[in-house]
Amino acid sequence: MAEKGAAASGGGGAALKDQGNEFFKAGNHLKAAALYTQAIKLEPNNPTLYSNRAAAFLHLVKLSKALADAEMTITLKPQWEKGYFRKGCILEAMERYDDAVAAFQVASQYNPQSVEISKKIKRLTQLAREKKRAEEVENIRSNINMGKFLEPLKPEFSAKFGAEELWQDIFSFLVDIMESAIKAWHETGKVDPRVNFLLDKLKTQTDKYAPVVNIDKAFESPDTHSSCFTFLRQYAEESFARASCLIAPKDIISYPQVWKGQGSRKWKLGHSDGFFVQFESPVLRKLWFIPSSTEKGRTLCRNPEDLDISAHEVLPRLFKEPGSNVR
């Protein structure tokens, strides 16, 4: 609220200030600010007038002007807690919580018995933490870098695939698919179950074979799972695909159906929501689970968890191993 303050040094602004206070109490902050402005013209060194006008500007959401008046209050009377209190309230409205806490802490030095200031410091310290974490979450969501995460796999890709151009193409393919899936999950909270194929630019009949095959029906029953796998293995061979990358949300996976034997008992990731990424090629197979959670009202994918593909494969091997005649 507006301060009554001490009697103005020149006396001319006191009546205007009192009128301004009445309008402030009545909720007419615009009229109050105008009267405080008239009073300031008569008494430009009166800190109470700037403090009161800062409060009026705060109610009018004229935050830059309010902050300037709070700073002037402090300049004119640096040991008066009210200037720092006003500044803290304005910075709070600006959502500059760390700065607001700092201002309230100075106010507390000059008025250590104030319960109101103590409550402000406690609440805004928590808000500052929450805001910082919310910013961190947004930063994680908007800066997806699977290339960096998968960097340790580059030597293995190089050793398995040989030619630099080939292994780099396959590595980039995996990175792109994982990043696209994470972005889709962040935006919608879901991914479509599908298998992405890295097709051969020279051999693949692109009018006959698409780079993406939807597998949304694959997990409805053991029969659909088996027939889907059979189709995909044939598709991989006939399309001359170099590699594939399966994306499947966890909620469509039936553990006993897909993970025969020990798979479900070896699952260590609890009930986390998320999706699977299964990389397939003739010489290398990898499997990850990307867990998801909701934080600060935003869906957030965590770092991929490396899984034992022999225990948790979502689909059996799609590509024939080199030297194998088994289809």
Side-chain angles (χ1 to χ4, degrees), residues 101-292:
V101 168
F104 284 122
Q105 286 173 336
V106 177
S108 181
Q109 292 175 15
Y110 294 112
N111 187 4
Q113 284 78 39
S114 173
V115 175
E116 184 179 14
I117 293 174
S118 297
K119 286 182 177 179
K120 284 278 191 182
I121 292 172
K122 184 177 180 180
R123 190 174 72 86
L124 291 176
T125 298
Q126 180 61 31
L127 283 176
R129 286 198 206 100
E130 292 175 358
K131 183 181 180 184
K132 182 179 180 181
R133 181 54 188 163
E135 289 171 349
E136 289 173 352
V137 168
E138 284 305 312
N139 186 55
I140 294 169
R141 281 169 51 90
S142 60
N143 291 284
I144 302 164
N145 189 349
M146 282 296 100
K148 183 178 181 180
F149 180 83
L150 297 172
E151 182 84 20
L153 292 181
K154 283 186 174 181
E156 187 176 8
F157 270 63
S158 176
K160 292 287 186 180
F161 295 106
E164 184 173 0
E165 184 177 355
L166 174 60
W167 78 256
Q168 287 189 349
D169 278 350
I170 295 173
F171 183 83
S172 295
F173 163 75
L174 175 59
V175 168
D176 290 345
I177 297 302
M178 290 180 77
E179 288 187 352
S180 295
I182 292 171
K183 288 175 183 176
W185 190 273
H186 281 165
E187 291 170 5
T188 66
K190 63 180 182 179
V191 289
D192 295 325
R194 56 177 52 185
V195 177
N196 302 269
F197 288 94
L198 179 61
L199 302 175
D200 190 298
K201 297 174 183 177
L202 299 177
K203 296 180 180 179
T204 302
Q205 292 179 254
T206 54
D207 58 336
K208 186 177 180 181
Y209 296 99
V212 178
V213 175
N214 293 321
I215 56 169
D216 52 313
K217 307 296 184 184
F219 305 98
E220 292 183 348
S221 72
D223 288 339
T224 58
H225 186 256
S226 178
S227 61
C228 177
F229 155 65
T230 301
F231 170 79
L232 289 169
R233 174 173 270 200
Q234 183 178 355
Y235 194 94
E237 181 178 350
E238 295 179 354
S239 67
F240 297 101
R242 294 179 170 184
S244 69
C245 189
L246 173 147
I247 302 293
K250 179 186 172 188
D251 61 10
I252 69 167
I253 302 293
S254 171
Y255 295 172
Q257 171 190 319
V258 176
W259 295 338
K260 297 174 182 177
Q262 302 297 313
S264 57
R265 288 198 287 273
K266 290 183 178 179
W267 181 253
K268 304 296 185 184
L269 298 173
H271 297 289
S272 297
D273 198 8
F275 60 94
F276 294 93
V277 178
Q278 182 169 319
F279 172 77
E280 290 280 328
S281 74
V283 295
L284 186 63
R285 304 179 74 213
K286 293 286 183 181
L287 178 64
W288 297 270
F289 178 68
I290 300 182
S292 168

Side-chain angles (χ1 to χ4, degrees), residues 8-17 38-39 42-43:
S9 56
L16 290 169
K17 175 178 68 63
Q38 292 179 44
L42 297 175
E43 301 175 34

Side-chain angles (χ1 to χ4, degrees), residues 25-148:
K25 291 174 186 176
N28 190 340
H29 303 110
L30 185 62
K31 182 65 175 177
L35 287 163
Y36 296 141
T37 298
Q38 292 179 44
I40 286 169
K41 289 178 180 178
L42 297 175
E43 301 175 34
N45 295 318
N46 187 334
T48 301
L49 297 176
Y50 288 98
S51 173
N52 287 5
R53 192 172 68 171
F57 281 148
L58 175 58
H59 280 277
L60 294 169
V61 200
K62 295 184 177 182
L63 301 182
S64 295
K65 290 183 176 181
L67 184 59
D69 276 356
E71 296 285 12
M72 181 58 76
T73 304
I74 292 168
T75 299
L76 293 172
K77 197 172 182 180
Q79 294 185 324
W80 186 35
E81 47 98 6
K82 184 58 68 174
Y84 302 100
F85 184 86
R86 292 278 188 245
K87 182 177 179 180
C89 291
I90 296 158
L91 291 169
E92 177 185 358
M94 291 177 165
E95 297 186 359
R96 291 170 54 184
Y97 300 129
D98 285 325
D99 293 335
V101 168
F104 284 122
Q105 286 173 336
V106 177
S108 181
Q109 292 175 15
Y110 294 112
N111 187 4
Q113 284 78 39
S114 173
V115 175
E116 184 179 14
I117 293 174
S118 297
K119 286 182 177 179
K120 284 278 191 182
I121 292 172
K122 184 177 180 180
R123 190 174 72 86
L124 291 176
T125 298
Q126 180 61 31
L127 283 176
R129 286 198 206 100
E130 292 175 358
K131 183 181 180 184
K132 182 179 180 181
R133 181 54 188 163
E135 289 171 349
E136 289 173 352
V137 168
E138 284 305 312
N139 186 55
I140 294 169
R141 281 169 51 90
S142 60
N143 291 284
I144 302 164
N145 189 349
M146 282 296 100
K148 183 178 181 180

Side-chain angles (χ1 to χ4, degrees), residues 17-28 32 36:
K17 175 178 68 63
D18 291 342
Q19 292 177 48
N21 290 351
E22 292 303 315
F23 278 104
F24 188 98
K25 291 174 186 176
N28 190 340
Y36 296 141

